[in-house]
Amino acid sequence: MKKHRLSYERKKSLSGYIFLLPWLIGLLGLFMPNFIASVRYSFGNLNLVNGEITPAGFIHYNTAFNSDPRFVPLLVAQLKDTAIIVPVIIMFSLFIAVLLNQEFKGRALARSVFFLPVIIGSGVVISLIQGDQMSNEIINGTRASGLFESGSIFDILEESGINSDIVNVMIGIVSEIFELSWHSGLQIILFLAALQTVPDQLYEVAKVEGATAWETFFKITIPMIMPIMIVNIVYTLVDSFTDYGNSLLVYILELGKKLNFEYSAALGNVYFVIIFVVIALVLFVVGKTVTYTEK
Amino acid sequence: MNIIETFKSRLQNENFKKKVIRNSGDVAFKIFRTVLLFAMCFIIIHPVLYMISVAFRESSDLYDPTVIWIPKNFTVDNLKTAIEILNYGKLLGNTVFYAGISTALSVISCALAGYGFARFKFKLKGILFALLLFMIIVPPQLVSIPLYLQYSDFNFFGLSSLLKLVSGADLTVNLLDTPLTLFIPAALGTGLRSGILIYMFQQFFRGLPVALEDAAYIDGCGVISTFVRIIIPNASGSFLVASLLSFVWYYNDYFFSSMYFSEAPTISVALAGLKAMLSSLTEGNATADPYAIIAQLQAGCLIAILPLVIIFFFLQKQFIKSVTTSGIVG
């Protein structure tokens, strides 16, 4: 009996590897060697003719932090942006998903509109559309999209003694409401799907026990959708760090195009390590609050 | 007057008062929700409407401040120019072909890997899953240069050097400028997007009841035929979502398609170069209208996203249904 069970377990574990086989080949054949190669570039000087690498120690890393005038400021700006935009996108998309999850007329239409950014919201088209709207406004001297302007209310806020940093953050959010709604498509879909999976019984119990809407939301909805919340946070972080218009990445890529591979790889590595640390921290902090219902 | 009087007298009743307060709160919330959703939808739709409006304008309408949405002089010339310069017919075929094959390959490999992670226990699972996350967060830009070198001298992961020992012939192939640079990573589930798909598939499969598979095993079904006969039909909604997302990602991809091809292979790459192309055409031509480019660019964007919008339009119902009912999450 025991022997039979073991062989079944064994068989199952082998089948696990069979299912992972294509991905494992990709991991070991395509991803890992190239990742290691890029780490090696960053510690050496690459000879483009014969592909040899002469070791150069930490020179490139030293340059990045001590003599490159652009890298550190760009990095700091990028981290600041990310720290603001990720929570905003998560809250915004959760809020929209909760609204879209309610019953109302025209819900199907509203849902498809919010999914539209997922379909067409990729780098090229959206940056062309945006860039163009700007230039057209300049030509016409008109403000076709003046609807995204809201200066005076912020003056009032500042006058009334609110810290100007906070006001600036708010201005940033409002003037980038366009970016925001175009970058939240997938998050809204995932939240919406997660909201559907919360069992109705829980809400019924909460109602019977006399919980308010707020309590129900924070004590039932949020914990139940926490696993997808993590997926969303990680996706948003990665999306923000690897965005098409991210000026730090543009800088790193430009260096690569100028055949300065080693330095480009070094900057890429620094950047990647920072992303890794940020995501690991977030996973650690947020992951502690997650409870899985099954298993 | 009478009504107000009765209303006032009924307000004395505590229960009625509570009800009125609650109802007015509900109404206020509904108004707030409608206004907010409408505004957000408008912000999302605005650039699309703008794109359509500008694409059909004659360039004189671009200067005319009285033209806001509806062009006075309706024209399809911009579309014609954009179609011609983008080499639309050929590139659309290319794009759909590349994106279609890559989608099929990546959905298969990611579904397999996702199923492996979701249902089986094996020794290295924890480490491999960490490597999956690792693969998602390593920016593609970082590995693109070594990847370029690997593709330019592709040795089938060392297989050809083994063959060389046996036969003596050098068997490396230059894959640059061939669609294999897109198909190979797709078939092997490598890269940021594939990583996310694997993660999503893992969540899909974890949500399916284990009893289904156990029943199949008891009836003597092997793991692979269980996957093909039981899992795939039961997770068809998730496959639809994954395929659509993946197709959109490949269709819109700029980075990889531009990296490994010397000529624009797909519409989005061509679109990125459209502005430069258009301005080089009018250069040195004093009578050319510099602002006509704007309308032509918007026309280019319009025809680039049109196929996706059409696909979404047809699949939209199933897509939304399978997202919201089959449950992406477990």
Side-chain angles (χ1 to χ4, degrees):
Chain A
M1 183 70 195
K2 202 182 174 191
K3 203 180 169 191
H4 176 76
R5 200 183 142 71
L6 267 177
S7 79
Y8 171 75
E9 290 285 313
R10 187 80 199 278
K11 214 172 145 191
K12 277 206 91 172
S13 99
L14 271 179
S15 343
Y17 290 113
I18 292 173
F19 277 101
L20 287 180
L21 195 63
W23 179 72
L24 275 176
I25 296 175
L27 183 78
L28 298 176
L30 273 184
F31 177 73
M32 287 314 285
N34 293 316
F35 177 69
I36 293 166
S38 83
V39 174
R40 276 179 61 213
Y41 288 176
S42 68
F43 286 108
N45 288 313
L46 178 68
N47 185 334
L48 276 179
V49 183
N50 54 20
E52 273 173 18
I53 301 165
T54 46
F58 283 90
I59 287 181
H60 302 303
Y61 291 94
N62 197 12
T63 323
F65 284 104
N66 294 328
S67 48
D68 187 334
R70 289 189 61 196
F71 178 64
V72 175
L74 278 175
L75 183 65
V76 171
Q78 177 62 34
L79 285 175
K80 253 189 190 167
D81 273 6
T82 305
I84 293 169
I85 201 76
V86 171
V88 170
I89 284 187
I90 293 294
M91 282 190 277
F92 172 78
S93 49
L94 178 59
F95 181 63
I96 295 291
V98 168
L99 288 189
L100 289 179
N101 198 29
Q102 294 167 342
E103 297 273 343
F104 59 91
K105 261 187 193 170
R107 178 171 79 162
L109 183 73
R111 280 183 176 177
S112 24
V113 170
F114 277 98
F115 292 167
L116 204 62
V118 181
I119 306 297
I120 51 179
S122 80
V124 180
V125 171
I126 204 61
S127 66
L128 273 181
I129 296 176
Q130 261 184 308
D132 235 56
Q133 251 172 321
M134 303 299 176
S135 56
N136 194 32
E137 279 160 25
I138 295 163
I139 300 161
N140 279 344
T142 58
R143 286 213 142 269
S145 59
L147 63 139
F148 303 139
E149 281 286 308
S150 47
S152 50
I153 196 163
F154 293 112
D155 291 342
I156 296 170
L157 282 179
E158 211 157 335
E159 290 288 313
S160 62
I162 292 171
N163 187 319
S164 66
D165 282 340
I166 298 173
V167 175
N168 278 334
V169 168
M170 286 163 76
I171 292 177
I173 291 169
V174 171
S175 57
E176 274 172 24
I177 188 86
F178 178 83
E179 291 269 304
L180 197 65
S181 45
W182 276 85
H183 275 120
S184 319
L186 192 64
Q187 288 89 328
I188 293 175
I189 293 185
L190 290 176
F191 272 136
L192 201 50
L195 287 172
Q196 308 273 331
T197 61
V198 182
D200 283 338
Q201 301 98 296
L202 292 182
Y203 289 123
E204 275 162 28
V205 170
K207 210 172 176 187
V208 171
E209 300 283 340
T212 63
W214 280 112
E215 282 167 343
T216 316
F217 182 72
F218 282 108
K219 298 201 169 140
I220 293 177
T221 312
I222 293 276
M224 288 304 286
I225 61 169
M226 216 50 205
I228 261 329
M229 177 90 85
I230 292 184
V231 179
N232 263 343
I233 292 175
V234 172
Y235 178 80
T236 315
L237 275 172
V238 174
D239 196 43
S240 147
F241 277 128
T242 58
D243 186 44
Y244 180 78
N246 178 332
S247 47
L248 182 61
L249 266 188
V250 171
Y251 177 57
I252 295 177
L253 265 185
E254 267 173 12
L255 285 171
K257 276 185 190 152
K258 285 179 199 153
L259 300 182
N260 199 347
F261 291 142
E262 308 88 347
Y263 189 48
S264 168
L267 293 191
N269 278 323
V270 172
Y271 189 46
F272 156 73
V273 167
I274 290 168
I275 299 177
F276 193 83
V277 169
V278 169
I279 290 178
L281 267 179
V282 168
L283 281 182
F284 179 74
V285 173
V286 184
K288 280 202 157 176
T289 63
V290 181
T291 43
Y292 287 94
T293 44
E294 310 168 49
K295 287 163 230 165
Chain B
M1 210 55 198
N2 221 353
I3 299 169
I4 295 173
E5 292 286 308
T6 37
F7 188 74
K8 269 185 182 166
S9 65
R10 285 186 67 185
L11 264 187
Q12 305 299 319
N13 183 336
E14 270 303 307
N15 275 336
F16 183 73
K17 210 170 168 182
K18 267 187 190 163
K19 214 173 162 188
V20 167
I21 291 172
R22 204 188 315 134
N23 279 348
S24 56
D26 277 359
V27 170
F29 175 72
K30 273 179 190 157
I31 293 173
F32 167 74
R33 181 178 67 195
T34 314
V35 170
L36 187 92
L37 284 179
F38 193 80
M40 294 311 303
C41 285
F42 180 69
I43 289 174
I44 293 173
I45 294 254
H46 181 262
V48 180
L49 290 178
Y50 173 84
M51 179 164 68
I52 296 170
S53 154
V54 173
F56 291 104
R57 282 183 209 184
E58 255 180 36
S59 56
S60 63
D61 283 8
L62 286 171
Y63 297 103
D64 187 346
T66 61
V67 176
I68 294 172
W69 286 109
I70 299 164
K72 278 183 187 158
N73 306 299
F74 185 85
T75 173
V76 288
D77 287 352
N78 299 319
L79 287 181
K80 280 183 190 159
T81 320
I83 286 175
E84 196 183 306
I85 293 178
L86 281 178
N87 197 358
Y88 188 67
K90 188 185 162 233
L91 279 192
L92 182 66
N94 259 355
T95 313
V96 170
F97 174 67
Y98 292 170
I101 302 271
S102 310
T103 300
L105 290 172
S106 75
V107 166
I108 292 170
S109 64
C110 294
L112 287 175
Y115 188 67
F117 277 124
R119 276 292 193 265
F120 298 102
K121 283 187 190 126
F122 42 90
K123 258 187 192 160
L124 297 173
K125 189 172 171 181
I127 298 172
L128 288 178
F129 199 72
L131 280 172
L132 174 70
L133 286 182
F134 192 68
M135 191 176 82
I136 294 179
I137 60 176
V138 170
Q141 288 82 353
L142 197 65
V143 292
S144 63
I145 294 156
L147 204 55
Y148 185 94
L149 296 175
Q150 189 183 10
Y151 285 147
S152 71
D153 216 7
F154 197 68
N155 62 7
F156 301 97
F157 312 121
L159 278 182
S160 44
S161 39
L162 276 181
L163 279 176
K164 198 180 172 184
L165 286 178
V166 183
S167 65
D170 205 359
L171 278 170
T172 57
V173 194
N174 183 359
L175 294 183
L176 295 176
D177 278 319
T178 67
L180 283 176
T181 52
L182 298 173
F183 298 161
I184 289 178
L188 299 178
T190 325
L192 161 69
R193 259 76 194 259
S194 298
I196 290 172
L197 278 189
I198 292 175
Y199 196 92
M200 278 170 65
F201 266 120
Q202 191 224 10
Q203 300 285 352
F204 287 144
F205 292 139
R206 274 171 81 182
L208 290 177
V210 192
L212 279 178
E213 290 147 87
D214 285 344
Y217 291 144
I218 289 167
D219 289 348
C221 221
V223 266
I224 291 173
S225 62
T226 305
F227 180 71
V228 176
R229 291 206 202 150
I230 309 288
I231 299 298
I232 293 182
N234 275 299
S236 56
S238 7
F239 275 88
L240 178 75
V241 175
S243 314
L244 191 66
L245 277 180
S246 175
F247 186 81
V248 165
W249 282 337
Y250 280 109
Y251 187 98
N252 283 331
D253 173 63
Y254 169 76
F255 185 76
F256 290 105
S257 330
S258 64
M259 187 91 193
Y260 306 123
F261 289 86
S262 48
E263 245 174 58
T266 62
I267 288 193
S268 19
V269 180
L271 194 64
L274 183 61
K275 197 168 189 175
M277 279 280 262
L278 286 170
S279 30
S280 73
L281 280 182
T282 52
E283 218 162 77
N285 182 354
T287 54
D289 181 353
Y291 299 131
I293 288 181
I294 289 173
Q296 287 158 357
L297 262 181
Q298 294 295 343
C301 287
L302 185 64
I303 56 173
I305 62 167
L306 200 61
L308 286 181
V309 173
I310 291 172
I311 292 175
F312 180 61
F313 196 78
F314 281 113
L315 291 180
Q316 177 227 46
K317 253 201 179 143
Q318 287 97 313
F319 181 65
I320 292 173
K321 222 173 89 190
S322 55
V323 161
T324 51
T325 58
S326 82
I328 280 181
V329 265

